[in-house]
Amino acid sequence: MASVFPKYFLWGGAVAANQVEGAYNVDGKGLSTADVVRYVPPEERGSLEELLGMTRARLEEAIADTEGNYPKRRGIDFYRRYKEDIALLAEMGFKVFRLSISWPRIFPNGDDEAPNEAGLAFYDRVFDELRKHGIEPLVTISHYEMPVELVRRYNGWASRELVGLFVRYAETLFARYKGKVKYWLTFNEINCTLKAPFLGAGVLVEGEANPKQLAFQALHHQFVASALAVKRCRELDGEAKIGCMLARKLIYPYTCHPLDILKAQEENQMAQFCTDVQVRGVYPSFIKRHWEEHGVAVEMQPGDEAILRENLVDYLAFSYYMSVTTSANPEGAVRGGAGQAAGNLSSGLANPYLESSEWGWQIDPVGLRVVLKEMYDRYRIPLFVVENGLGAVDRIEADGSIRDDYRIEYFARHIEQMGEAIKDGVELWGYTSWGCIDLVSASTSEMRKRYGFIYVDQDDEGKGTLERIRKKSFYWYKKVIASHGEDL
Ligand code: BGP
């Protein structure tokens, strides 16, 4: 039977520079905001917001401390092993590989006179290796990292200076990699700046500062920078496609109480606020009231609104892992409110109809179909699922195998629902599973939270041989790609 996935559909996987490369201070690279995030053992962890936060004191301490336990400085040694890793992806039959460029590998301090040639040359080698295997690179320009010097000097994206610096960085890439890179994304999960301003935008929120004021102002600068990057990409390389990227969690009302419905609607609207701006080119109507109610006054320069309106993205990429629930009255006796699902940024209550991962992420394949249909009808532009996967503790059996049937089940159900969404009329360009090779977790800096089809022998403390081992899901995904999504 013919596959429901269109012929042009791109199958692959995704990683991020700061979670795989290592070589944090090699070949001229400057320190990045990811390099200063220390590993905190689970028993010492506070909330996720605290874990993802940063203070100037901790920042300076980390910059001075070259030997401390900063797992993203190690990554999984992709910087040296990229040929071996790309060969493994090619063995699975990948058509596309989503990766990011480390901004401080190109502009070590963010505002250097000239780009770092050794950094540019590294990504030339990676893109050439991908092309040798017939794999399209899909490149994120800033994936949860930026030169730490821009935090010290400007407090990250809180400052307008970042707009010009980002555009100069982006146009350097468009010019250098013209013909090698056909798919660009400006920022990874831009909406996470709202809940994790340091992770998403290198912003330190300290003292009496209003976190929402800083976050929305930083986001406005990122929107303008993203739109100007879209403009420069079209001027420098008319063949390339450039998109925006969103972290999409689906939020359910905990009950059919009208106030729960309203709260879920508001949270789903806020979850798409950034794509409203980047896809439609205007701020959505509801945001003005939200700003007034939270003392936010975003400063815009003359011309900003025209920049946003005239430089819309070609496609909308997003990550989808889970759904959550929300309630207008979580303590309400009527609900016997279940505990908050751990391990994620939302204030969700556990959904009694869904299983959760070991990190409390509620597994909901049908939710992926729901968001695909909703977003396609809201924006009417091509979509790309650029992150989806299951973080789990994998075990090596006595015979050396890794039987991750739980991960195969997760992927099979989500791919099935993508197929249903395509039958529903959604234009979907491709699918890059998250963490196609085990890597350092973005939120917890753990290695034990494994996502890959390929196991990497390294533990949370960085001990291990870094040997790569094919898991059971490696052979399963190879079959899925060969059958174009038919044989799940
Ligand atoms: C997304 C990030 C990815 C990746 C993923 C999994 O938010 O874009 O970088 O890390 O989440 O999250 P984690 O690594 O925290 O399990």
Side-chain angles (χ1 to χ4, degrees):
M1 191 175 82
S3 165
V4 71
F5 291 91
K7 283 205 178 352
Y8 59 73
F9 192 87
L10 296 169
W11 297 96
V15 298
N18 78 78
Q19 295 171 254
V20 294
E21 287 181 1
Y24 78 99
N25 59 352
V26 165
D27 294 339
K29 174 179 171 293
L31 212 52
S32 94
T33 44
D35 294 329
V36 296
V37 176
R38 182 189 291 275
Y39 171 73
V40 178
E43 63 279 6
E44 294 169 31
R45 255 171 240 160
S47 71
L48 210 52
E49 281 81 352
E50 282 160 11
L51 190 63
L52 297 175
M54 181 58 73
T55 63
R56 195 165 292 281
R58 271 171 45 200
L59 184 75
E60 292 306 326
E61 182 190 302
I63 291 168
D65 177 2
T66 49
E67 297 308 316
N69 189 357
Y70 300 97
K72 291 176 187 159
R73 293 184 182 180
R74 292 190 297 266
I76 56 165
D77 199 29
F78 178 82
Y79 189 80
R80 274 177 272 267
R81 296 167 187 252
Y82 68 92
K83 287 191 178 179
E84 169 196 354
D85 292 341
I86 291 170
L88 285 167
L89 306 182
E91 190 184 328
M92 282 190 273
F94 273 33
K95 305 292 180 269
V96 63
F97 178 48
R98 179 189 177 218
L99 68 162
S100 68
I101 290 178
S102 172
W103 186 348
R105 225 182 262 292
I106 312 301
F107 287 97
N109 300 292
D111 53 5
D112 313 75
E113 276 306 300
N116 171 34
E117 176 52 34
L120 289 167
F122 166 65
Y123 294 104
D124 265 323
R125 295 196 297 276
V126 172
F127 298 148
D128 293 346
E129 195 66 22
L130 286 168
R131 192 148 305 283
K132 198 174 91 181
H133 292 282
I135 300 173
E136 280 298 340
L138 188 159
V139 181
T140 313
I141 298 171
S142 177
H143 190 132
Y144 284 161
E145 76 175 309
M146 57 193 282
V148 83
E149 280 309 308
L150 298 181
V151 179
R152 289 174 123 181
R153 222 163 287 170
Y154 301 111
N155 196 21
W157 282 94
S159 302
R160 182 84 188 197
E161 283 80 3
L162 268 283
V163 174
L165 294 172
F166 178 84
V167 172
R168 190 168 73 113
Y169 163 50
E171 61 191 10
T172 302
L173 304 182
F174 300 143
R176 175 70 174 234
Y177 303 121
K178 179 173 181 174
K180 289 188 179 182
V181 177
K182 298 202 179 88
Y183 297 93
W184 293 101
L185 292 173
T186 53
F187 293 98
N188 177 67
E189 299 193 328
I190 191 169
N191 52 318
C192 285
T193 294
L194 286 173
K195 290 206 169 176
F198 182 74
L199 179 75
V203 171
L204 299 171
V205 180
E206 296 186 294
E208 300 307 304
N210 172 351
K212 280 192 180 273
Q213 172 63 35
L214 278 173
F216 279 109
Q217 186 64 59
L219 266 179
H220 178 70
H221 295 150
Q222 288 180 301
F223 292 150
V224 172
S226 184
L228 290 172
V230 167
K231 181 172 183 291
R232 293 298 287 137
C233 183
R234 293 197 174 121
E235 288 164 356
L236 291 166
D237 181 0
E239 295 300 305
K241 298 292 180 195
I242 183 161
C244 61
M245 197 270 189
L246 173 80
R248 190 64 176 103
K249 254 198 304 271
L250 181 57
I251 300 140
Y252 295 121
Y254 196 67
T255 71
C256 53
H257 191 295
L259 288 179
D260 280 1
I261 308 300
L262 174 64
K263 192 155 188 297
Q265 185 205 39
E266 288 173 342
E267 290 187 18
N268 278 305
Q269 276 188 327
M270 189 53 80
Q272 298 178 110
F273 148 70
C274 296
T275 29
D276 282 352
V277 177
Q278 294 181 287
V279 178
R280 291 169 156 172
V282 288
Y283 276 89
S285 54
F286 64 82
I287 204 66
K288 303 272 187 285
R289 177 173 181 174
H290 184 83
W291 285 347
E292 278 156 22
E293 289 175 351
H294 293 87
V296 171
V298 171
E299 198 183 312
M300 299 190 193
Q301 288 188 0
D304 282 0
E305 289 182 326
I307 291 168
L308 296 180
R309 196 174 50 248
E310 292 160 13
N311 300 288
L312 308 181
V313 293
D314 297 312
Y315 68 105
L316 197 183
F318 66 99
S319 63
Y320 175 86
Y321 292 93
M322 67 183 107
S323 63
V324 294
T325 61
T326 189
S327 169
N329 172 18
E331 295 73 38
V334 69
R335 300 171 180 85
Q340 173 179 335
N344 65 61
L345 282 169
S346 80
S347 54
L349 298 161
N351 185 326
Y353 299 101
L354 299 176
E355 302 294 318
S356 288
S357 78
E358 292 149 289
W359 273 262
W361 292 16
Q362 292 174 147
I363 298 167
D364 181 7
V366 171
L368 176 55
R369 179 179 175 187
V370 172
V371 296
L372 279 164
K373 284 153 57 77
E374 272 185 359
M375 287 205 288
Y376 188 62
D377 267 353
R378 186 183 183 95
Y379 299 118
R380 306 300 285 170
I381 65 169
L383 304 179
F384 211 126
V385 179
V386 294
E387 291 184 26
N388 174 246
L390 177 69
V393 178
D394 292 336
R395 198 186 59 221
I396 303 179
E397 305 294 335
D399 65 2
S401 66
I402 298 164
R403 299 191 197 122
D404 56 337
D405 295 281
Y406 39 87
R407 184 168 293 110
I408 291 170
E409 174 62 15
Y410 179 98
F411 281 127
R413 299 292 73 77
H414 283 81
I415 292 170
E416 218 164 52
Q417 292 302 323
M418 282 195 300
E420 290 305 315
I422 290 169
K423 283 187 214 161
D424 293 329
V426 172
E427 185 182 351
L428 185 60
W429 277 359
Y431 176 74
T432 54
S433 72
W434 174 253
C436 50
I437 180 169
D438 288 352
L439 41 59
V440 180
S441 157
S443 56
T444 61
S445 296
E446 294 169 306
M447 272 303 297
R448 58 195 290 273
K449 187 176 188 185
R450 297 178 183 280
Y451 282 91
F453 301 112
I454 302 158
Y455 184 92
V456 174
D457 178 32
Q458 176 171 260
D459 64 14
D460 288 350
E461 281 71 46
K463 295 189 197 71
T465 64
L466 288 170
E467 180 197 0
R468 275 68 167 146
I469 306 171
R470 297 170 183 79
K471 303 179 192 176
K472 184 174 179 182
S473 56
F474 178 100
Y475 303 100
W476 172 83
Y477 195 46
K478 178 175 178 175
K479 194 168 51 69
V480 171
I481 296 174
S483 67
H484 209 47
E486 279 306 287
D487 183 357
L488 297 179

